[in-house]
Amino acid sequence: MAEKLYFIKTNPVVAKINLYNKLCREEEHILPFLKDDKKTSLELIKKKALDHIEHLSKEEMQDLFRWFDAGCKSDPEEFRNRLFTHGIDVFYEISDSSEIRAFHQVVSDYEKHLHISLGHKTEAGAFNRFLMYGIFFSGLINENSETNFHFDYLKSGNKDLYSVAEAAVHEKKPVEFPAAELHHHFSELYDGTKFYKGNILMLPHS
């Protein structure tokens, strides 16, 4: 299981300039972090950074993260700052392994009940609906968090999602589930993305 789950917004214009130029300048430094056929992999990453950073696959983005992480000597603030400077805005993260597992379980249940697939890159509107579902689901499991502003405010206008969350809770209520913590994550993510119009990337990073 990944040690962190990152939530990312991208800036394609900044990446087209700063990330692309960095990749060109530091080719020898990034190669050890790439998979087999490293030269070809690097050329693909450079092309995608130049075209649109969101064309990078999840695996290619993870390679970039390992490269940046190694250059920051385990300084999380410097790591985030360098990514941001190169068009990658890590605006939220979950770092507790049990909470990451629970988050993925909520994603899986949501996809099953709604017959959709979020993937690692999701349009903001679709991601926002998932977050509302997550607020309902985690709120219903942990009754103390039902009084949360988001839960009450969103409930009346999203009865369809609330009903789906109710069904998911009745179907399988976890014995050990960090509901309060997850409820906080969903609420924070909702606040950070409700007016955003681009895509949201979810990236596990170990």
Side-chain angles (χ1 to χ4, degrees):
M1 174 59 66
E3 294 176 4
K4 295 182 184 293
L5 179 60
Y6 289 131
F7 298 86
I8 301 162
K9 300 172 185 175
T10 63
N11 188 327
V13 176
V14 171
K16 184 175 184 177
I17 299 169
N18 293 354
L19 179 58
Y20 177 76
N21 287 335
K22 182 177 177 67
L23 290 166
C24 292
R25 287 194 312 269
E26 303 181 25
E27 288 191 2
E28 295 305 315
H29 294 125
I30 188 176
L31 286 175
F33 297 91
L34 303 181
K35 303 295 188 296
D36 295 337
D37 200 0
K38 298 177 185 294
K39 287 284 188 179
T40 300
S41 296
L42 176 58
E43 290 307 312
L44 285 172
I45 290 173
K46 286 164 61 177
K47 182 179 186 304
K48 292 177 181 181
L50 195 59
D51 291 342
H52 197 303
I53 189 171
E54 289 183 6
H55 293 165
L56 288 169
S57 68
K58 181 175 74 172
E59 292 73 22
E60 289 168 337
M61 188 70 80
Q62 287 172 324
D63 290 344
L64 284 182
F65 269 57
R66 283 192 292 272
W67 177 43
F68 274 97
D69 199 10
C72 294
K73 299 179 180 178
S74 301
D75 183 337
E77 185 174 352
E78 178 65 15
F79 176 58
R80 281 189 176 211
N81 288 340
R82 288 194 189 184
L83 287 168
F84 184 80
T85 301
H86 293 85
I88 304 169
D89 177 13
V90 178
F91 69 95
Y92 197 80
E93 71 177 67
I94 302 175
S95 55
D96 181 271
S97 59
S98 65
E99 293 166 22
I100 293 172
R101 284 194 297 272
F103 186 92
H104 284 307
Q105 183 61 59
V106 177
V107 171
S108 178
D109 290 344
Y110 178 77
E111 291 177 329
K112 181 181 72 174
H113 283 90
L114 275 296
H115 307 290
I116 60 173
S117 176
L118 290 179
H120 88 285
K121 179 175 69 175
T122 308
E123 184 272 326
F127 188 73
N128 196 250
R129 281 182 59 78
F130 162 67
L131 294 177
M132 288 189 282
Y133 166 88
I135 288 170
F136 297 146
F137 181 84
S138 55
L140 287 165
I141 289 179
N142 178 16
E143 294 179 359
N144 292 331
S145 62
E146 284 193 38
T147 57
N148 178 288
F149 166 77
H150 294 92
F151 190 100
D152 294 329
Y153 173 74
L154 294 170
K155 182 178 175 181
S156 62
N158 298 278
K159 293 181 179 179
D160 58 333
L161 285 176
Y162 182 81
S163 296
V164 174
E166 272 190 316
V169 170
H170 292 150
E171 177 184 291
K172 182 176 58 181
K173 185 172 181 178
V175 176
E176 293 183 5
F177 192 87
E181 292 81 2
L182 216 57
H183 197 74
H184 172 76
H185 292 316
F186 280 119
S187 297
E188 291 289 301
L189 283 164
Y190 177 80
D191 280 339
T193 59
K194 59 185 174 183
F195 299 119
Y196 185 65
K197 302 300 182 184
N199 290 320
I200 305 296
L201 279 64
M202 293 187 288
L203 189 76
H205 177 65
S206 57

